[in-house]
Amino acid sequence: MQPQATAPALLRQRLPWLGGDLQTLRNALLPAPPPLAGERILLQTHDDSGDRLWALLNRPSGQASGLLAVLVHGLSGHEASPYMTVAARRLLQDGHAVARLNMRGAGPSRADCRQHYHAGRSADLADALADLCDIGGWDGGVLIGFSLGGNIALKCAAEAAADDPLRAVATVSAPIDLAHTSRHMLRRRNWVYHQALLQPFKREVLSMQGLTEAERFAVRRSRNFLEFDDCFVAPRNGFAGAWDYYGRSMALQYLDDIAVPGLLIQAQDDPIVPARAYLARDWRRNPLLLPRLPRHGGHVGFHGPEPEPWYLSEIAGFLQRISRRTVRQANSSTY
């Protein structure tokens, strides 16, 4: 069944970035954007681990929207990943406060964590969003997740209570069906992508504090993400194995429970995250969710004629609508 999107999702590709592979590889082939400095915020996790998360906060210099956009990176990402920097700069220009969150074990958070993020660790996002809104006094926040961070953000949105500060969620190239994505990555044509993601992620994990020798051995011997998740992620986080981890963590099963507006952007030619789960879903089951599924765009690519990736204009328009809705709700509550 085709998605019930309210408008056609069109992306005009730009030479020479034609097709999903080149759209994806462009991110690695071109120079990184200039860094964007910000205010460092240290957040305490709400469990008994003692882990702490670092976020980089930017406040708009002009008229503010009243919303906080919390950007959530993907696998092996962090606050300075190019897609995080580019998105933060654009949203700041639009008047939104922006926090780039480093999840457990990622970027600057690594030195203050003994645990690591995974696809189902959604409570960290809810806690971080609430604490950041308290710190800055914002009316509410929007989670914007890239790749694996998108799966976590959607799961977090489904679990949100009515009095939580979450106002909306947006994702780019989120692997909402983790089991199918894991099998898809085992295809021979994806070997280069697989290793490009797996090897830096293994190095990131091996630099963590408190790993046992057995865990280090399991990480080093893992030849693919299925083995890595089965031998390390699952036992370390209370799952029975990789398939149990995927089944309990993938956002696909939680989409009907999301009670805030959602924007889900996924290219049909993504070589890393297959679009099958998006195309097969009947989106009328939750009218709050808007799928944007262009034929082209690759994985967190979406490079068209404009200087910025196409998904940024989609997210910008989505946040503009959320801001207007938040203002209307605030005005109506005063009478």
Side-chain angles (χ1 to χ4, degrees), residues 250-331:
M250 63 183 182
L252 182 61
Q253 65 184 317
Y254 298 106
L255 296 181
D256 288 348
D257 298 326
I258 296 177
V260 296
L263 172 68
L264 293 84
I265 298 172
Q266 172 66 33
Q268 297 183 41
D269 64 358
D270 187 330
I272 294 174
V273 175
R276 185 182 76 174
Y278 290 87
L279 296 172
R281 177 179 167 81
D282 181 359
W283 293 95
R284 292 171 297 190
R285 289 164 51 181
N286 187 344
L288 287 171
L289 303 183
L290 173 64
R292 300 288 276 159
L293 312 177
R295 286 185 175 274
H296 304 294
H299 188 73
V300 196
F302 302 94
H303 303 291
E306 296 77 18
E308 297 175 332
W310 172 83
Y311 62 75
L312 284 180
S313 62
E314 293 293 308
I315 293 174
F318 177 67
L319 291 191
Q320 187 177 45
R321 295 191 294 274
I322 298 302
S323 297
R324 290 198 296 263
R325 177 183 176 187
T326 301
V327 169
R328 287 196 302 269
Q329 290 175 340
N331 290 339

